[in-house]
Amino acid sequence: MMGTEKLNRHFVGTALVSVLLSLLLALTPVLAVAEPANGGGASADAAAIASASTSLVTVPATQTSTGTTSLRATVSYDSNFVKGSATRFTFNVSGNTKPLLYKINAFEIQTASGWSSLVDTSRGELFKFTDKSYFEEEIYTSGNYRLSFYVAEYTDNGDGTKTFEPYVRFEIAFTVAESASFKSMDAIINEIVGQCNSECAKQGDTSDYAKALWLNDWVVDNTEYDHSLTYMSAEGVFGRGLGTCEAYHDAYVRLLNKVGIETRRVDSSGDTHVWTGVKLDGKWYNVDTTWNDPGYTDSNVDLKRLYFALPTDVMKLVHTQWDGTYSLGYPNRAAFDAESYEDNYFIRSGEISKFTRPYLEASGTYSVRTHLNARETSFTIPVASSSYKNVIYNLVAYQLGRENWGSNIRLTATYSDGALNFKVFYLVSIANASIASIGTQTYTGKALTPKPTVTLPGYGTLREGTDYTLSYASNVNVGTAAVTITGKGNYTGTRTATFKIEAQPAAKAPAVTGSWVQSGGRWWFSYDAKTRAAQKKAYPAGEWVTVGGRRYHFDGAGWMHAGWLSLSGRWYWLSSDGAMRTGWHLVGGAWYYMGPDGAMLTGRQKVGDATYYLASSGAMRTGWNLEGSTWYFYDGSGAMAHGWRSVGGTWYFLDRSSGAMRQYWLDEGSQRYFLLSSGAMVTGWARVDGTWYYFGPSGAMQKSRWVGNYYVGSDGRMATSTWVGRYHVNAGGLWDATR
């Protein structure tokens, strides 16, 4: 957080120290080399220290060291830690024959995932070789700590340079016991998460979004940005209320992981900045808690949430050096797939309406409608005055692209160079398209997909794949099939055509004469002399024959079939007298439909003026039926329903053309309705895409009226943070009687 005022610390107290260790490193040969660049640069007296590597040798403090050097070290310090007061760690080195220089290597705290650096040793004067033989630091949390430092002997060459002996790294470890005064980071995290869960539960929203937003606010409200660029771990945030972007990110990650939210590290090497990838509702977003903490206010923008749940394309606009990747295991990277706007704070909360409102007006400088009424296909509108245009106005562009400008208008918007740029497609409905008659098809046992010719007056013959797509229904079995043409590209709407599927011509059954003979309760047919001579046998067997204008089937032994008969994968119904039946028949309490050749039909069938659905068993369906991914409703008669239907006290709408159950927004007549994913019509207050609407008892969306102490505008949206005539409504939409 920019600014000079310190926050009140949330966790204060004293500490205890346990044990002091002394560790000695083995040495490399004598070298005179420059200090690495990432070491913060050499001091004036130590321009040539050490890239020489060493290997760690643990030597108990009570033993005489062995190795290639006589250097030994202990560290002394006051074990009575006082939170908020610096503790001095003094390096006591013996065994040297030349002057000494010192440098801090690392100051770390142990976490569940390993040792975490409390301070950034790559920056600041503290981390250069100097003659200062001590290190001072404040301790704020309990836990296991580790401090390591370098010691080097040197010879002054008298010409402004020094020759250094190989340097030695010493390391101490100590523990600050957990107490009421000194809490561990885990304890602090648990307290914060407990508060988060409680507050979200009170608000009635325990979603990942709500928790991630609450924790973002906590980090921002309780942390100051460390302009000294020293403190880089979560300990800085939880203990000191201070840290760099590394600390903001580290703390936020630990909090999110504690509530079960998946995270990723996102780093922009071009501007040396780190933020957090957060997975909400199965989708990735960017959250930058550091930039959400600017240290100043703007009445137009909620800066604390400005960088909460942004997609990558917006984040890249403010981080021009970022390549759009995130770290899986730093520094390894993979593509960051943050594409959604759904859980962005301004979009989900509706706060973006503060900025989109001028563009939704019927007329005026910023009115989009003015340009649409003029049938413009592209236009530019300057942005209204606001801070942070790169973020806010990209969100504005997204939201304007989601608005309902009319069923036949497709609009896209982008932001650049201080203006919103619009592209408009005025879609042409194909509802009135002409479809050339599709010839009768012959049953093959497979789906039949004849291609229709679609012509639209004034536009000529349309192209499949470019101008429309095709989908088929009931196109396998004998009966009436349907093909639905759905507009694509510059075309919208649907048009449905039908075609016939006929059975393959049945083999002509010979007309025979003779007499029926019953034997043992079964029947066979005895040919007369004339038919015997013609057929060269005494009776029919394994075949169809026609007797007296009616068709019969006889098995291989010559017995007449009755009831269900399966032949060549098709079913037939033969009445008790053996005659083959066609049309509708009630069998065993279920209705079946037999085609003209007597074969039982299945699937969707057009019979007369009505459409029916016959299960794979052939039985006629009633009630709800799922066909592919679409629901249909069939009345008690079996006929497909269209239009409004009340089922179990709930209203549904079945498309007047296709019969498909409608979902979501529905424009019917002069009214607009909203149907749930289940198809159920909504009444009363409902939140749709982050916006509140009110639907009357009939289901019709209400417009331009007060509903209790709330107001819905001409587009049906509940008004928030605005004036309605001489009345003001607050951010929650409620009439504010105090204004």
Side-chain angles (χ1 to χ4, degrees):
M1 179 183 297
M2 302 178 185
T4 58
E5 184 180 353
K6 294 286 186 181
L7 297 174
N8 293 326
R9 305 301 182 188
H10 294 267
F11 311 101
V12 297
T14 61
L16 298 174
V17 67
S18 62
V19 64
L20 175 64
L21 302 176
S22 180
L23 305 178
L24 179 64
L25 295 178
L27 304 176
T28 57
V30 176
L31 295 174
V33 297
E35 186 178 7
N38 65 0
S43 67
D45 296 325
I49 302 252
S51 62
S53 62
T54 60
S55 57
L56 184 63
V57 178
T58 302
V59 180
T62 56
Q63 273 186 244
T64 302
S65 63
T66 59
T68 59
T69 181
S70 60
L71 290 181
R72 289 178 292 176
T74 61
V75 179
S76 59
Y77 57 95
D78 187 354
S79 63
N80 292 317
F81 297 108
V82 178
K83 183 174 281 188
S85 298
T87 297
R88 175 172 289 191
F89 299 85
T90 302
F91 313 135
N92 308 303
V93 182
S94 62
N96 59 300
T97 60
K98 299 176 181 179
L100 299 172
L101 292 177
Y102 308 85
K103 175 183 173 180
I104 300 301
N105 177 57
F107 189 58
E108 304 167 295
I109 188 171
Q110 192 173 31
T111 68
S113 58
W115 290 96
S116 174
S117 293
L118 299 178
V119 294
D120 188 349
T121 58
S122 71
R123 298 176 176 177
E125 292 296 323
L126 180 65
F127 307 106
K128 298 177 181 180
F129 274 97
T130 70
D131 59 3
K132 190 167 100 174
S133 62
Y134 63 88
F135 170 71
E136 291 183 327
E137 187 55 64
E138 300 171 1
I139 306 296
Y140 284 94
T141 60
S142 67
N144 297 323
Y145 289 82
R146 188 166 68 182
L147 172 64
S148 62
F149 58 98
Y150 294 130
V151 180
E153 292 183 278
Y154 71 92
T155 300
D156 193 331
N157 298 322
D159 59 359
T161 63
K162 294 179 175 67
T163 299
F164 292 86
E165 304 293 331
Y167 58 87
V168 184
R169 186 166 77 109
F170 295 92
E171 188 175 272
I172 69 163
F174 60 94
T175 300
V176 178
E178 187 165 1
S179 66
S181 302
F182 279 87
K183 297 180 181 180
S184 68
M185 278 202 290
D186 283 341
I188 296 169
I189 290 170
N190 287 336
E191 289 182 5
I192 299 168
V193 168
Q195 186 181 357
C196 171
N197 291 333
S198 175
E199 292 293 327
C200 289
K202 287 181 182 178
Q203 297 298 321
D205 186 357
T206 58
S207 65
D208 286 349
Y209 167 88
K211 293 177 181 179
L213 184 63
W214 193 97
L215 294 172
N216 168 85
D217 293 355
W218 188 95
V219 171
V220 172
D221 290 341
N222 292 276
T223 312
E224 295 182 33
Y225 188 80
D226 179 17
H227 291 283
S228 72
L229 305 179
T230 299
Y231 300 104
M232 59 180 292
S233 79
E235 183 270 351
V237 172
F238 297 131
R240 308 166 192 270
L242 188 68
T244 64
C245 61
E246 286 278 4
Y248 279 78
H249 163 73
D250 189 14
Y252 193 44
V253 164
R254 293 173 187 270
L255 292 170
L256 291 175
N257 292 166
K258 191 68 177 180
V259 297
I261 295 176
E262 190 176 351
T263 59
R264 293 284 188 269
R265 173 191 173 93
V266 190
D267 61 282
S268 177
S269 58
D271 49 11
T272 61
H273 185 51
V274 173
W275 62 92
T276 311
V278 182
K279 195 173 188 180
L280 305 174
D281 301 321
K283 298 177 181 178
W284 285 101
Y285 298 89
N286 295 274
V287 179
D288 193 338
T289 48
T290 311
W291 281 27
N292 280 337
D293 192 11
Y296 56 95
T297 60
D298 187 321
S299 60
N300 294 318
V301 182
D302 189 342
L303 299 177
K304 187 161 63 176
R305 285 103 177 248
L306 183 64
Y307 298 93
F308 182 86
L310 288 175
T312 293
D313 60 352
V314 177
M315 206 65 177
K316 289 179 70 174
L317 292 172
V318 294
H319 289 285
T320 57
Q321 302 299 313
W322 180 42
D323 60 3
T325 63
Y326 72 87
S327 294
L328 287 172
Y330 184 74
N332 298 321
R333 295 173 178 157
F336 191 74
D337 55 347
E339 300 175 348
S340 176
Y341 286 73
E342 293 176 10
D343 278 348
N344 171 263
Y345 166 71
F346 290 91
I347 299 298
R348 181 155 172 166
S349 69
E351 280 290 302
I352 198 64
S353 64
K354 293 167 50 178
F355 301 92
T356 59
R357 191 173 293 116
Y359 303 95
L360 300 176
E361 299 294 334
S363 60
T365 304
Y366 301 110
S367 171
V368 174
R369 187 65 63 185
T370 299
H371 297 272
L372 297 180
N373 290 340
R375 304 294 288 182
E376 296 179 31
T377 58
S378 64
F379 53 91
T380 297
I381 300 178
V383 302
S385 177
S386 174
S387 303
Y388 313 104
K389 294 184 177 69
N390 273 346
V391 174
I392 290 297
Y393 279 94
N394 273 278
L395 299 176
V396 168
Y398 168 76
Q399 184 65 26
L400 292 176
R402 301 170 69 208
E403 296 290 337
N404 180 21
W405 301 104
S407 60
N408 294 327
I409 295 176
R410 181 177 297 155
L411 178 149
T412 62
T414 57
Y415 170 78
S416 65
D417 301 325
L420 289 166
N421 307 297
F422 296 86
K423 297 288 186 183
V424 187
F425 301 91
Y426 299 92
L427 305 182
V428 179
S429 175
I430 65 171
N432 297 321
S434 173
I435 302 175
S437 178
I438 302 174
T440 299
Q441 309 294 300
T442 301
Y443 172 84
T444 65
K446 300 179 179 179
L448 300 172
T449 57
K451 304 295 184 182
T453 299
V454 182
T455 304
L456 192 62
Y459 296 90
T461 301
L462 305 186
R463 298 164 297 172
E464 182 191 358
T466 301
D467 302 325
Y468 62 85
T469 59
L470 299 175
S471 60
Y472 295 83
S474 303
N475 61 325
V476 175
N477 296 309
V478 172
T480 301
V483 55
T484 298
I485 300 97
T486 302
K488 181 182 178 181
N490 293 331
Y491 299 89
T492 186
T494 61
R495 184 84 160 81
T496 300
T498 61
F499 58 93
K500 295 288 186 180
I501 301 177
E502 292 184 347
Q504 294 182 356
K508 188 175 181 180
V512 298
T513 55
S515 57
W516 290 99
V517 181
Q518 187 178 29
S519 177
R522 305 174 71 184
W523 291 89
W524 62 281
F525 190 76
S526 177
Y527 290 153
D528 59 20
K530 181 180 178 181
T531 303
R532 287 188 184 191
Q535 297 294 322
K536 297 181 173 59
K537 55 186 176 182
Y539 55 87
E543 60 186 313
W544 290 98
V545 297
T546 300
V547 181
R550 306 173 72 185
R551 295 187 65 171
Y552 300 84
H553 192 271
F554 298 85
D555 66 18
W559 296 108
M560 180 195 77
H561 278 290
W564 286 111
L565 170 65
S566 178
L567 288 176
S568 302
R570 307 187 74 188
W571 286 92
Y572 302 82
W573 175 250
L574 309 174
S575 61
S576 60
D577 64 0
M580 183 192 77
R581 307 300 296 267
T582 61
W584 287 107
H585 288 280
L586 183 65
V587 183
W591 285 97
Y592 300 82
Y593 190 81
M594 311 297 168
D597 63 349
M600 180 189 77
L601 301 184
T602 62
R604 188 185 296 180
Q605 301 293 334
K606 184 88 169 180
V607 181
D609 294 330
T611 300
Y612 302 83
Y613 192 87
L614 309 171
S616 58
S617 66
M620 183 189 75
R621 289 278 181 82
T622 60
W624 289 109
N625 190 56
L626 182 63
E627 300 170 33
S629 59
T630 304
W631 286 97
Y632 298 84
F633 188 80
Y634 296 87
D635 291 332
S637 68
M640 177 189 288
H642 299 270
W644 289 106
R645 282 290 190 280
S646 177
V647 183
T650 299
W651 283 95
Y652 301 83
F653 188 84
L654 295 312
D655 189 271
R656 296 193 182 279
S657 176
S658 68
M661 182 192 78
R662 294 288 300 272
Q663 300 167 294
Y664 311 119
W665 287 110
L666 169 69
D667 294 309
E668 175 69 5
S670 61
Q671 301 295 337
R672 199 168 205 212
Y673 305 83
F674 190 79
L675 312 169
L676 301 178
S677 59
S678 66
M681 183 190 76
V682 172
T683 60
W685 286 106
R687 191 174 186 180
V688 182
D689 293 332
T691 301
W692 285 98
Y693 299 83
Y694 186 80
F695 301 88
S698 70
M701 183 185 76
Q702 305 298 292
K703 298 183 287 187
S704 303
R705 56 162 292 192
W706 287 95
V707 182
N709 290 328
Y710 299 84
Y711 187 82
V712 291
S714 59
D715 59 356
R717 296 168 177 262
M718 183 185 75
T720 59
S721 302
T722 190
W723 289 93
V724 182
R726 60 190 181 93
Y727 301 98
H728 188 269
V729 291
N730 63 22
L734 183 65
W735 168 52
D736 187 355
T738 65
R739 300 185 65 175

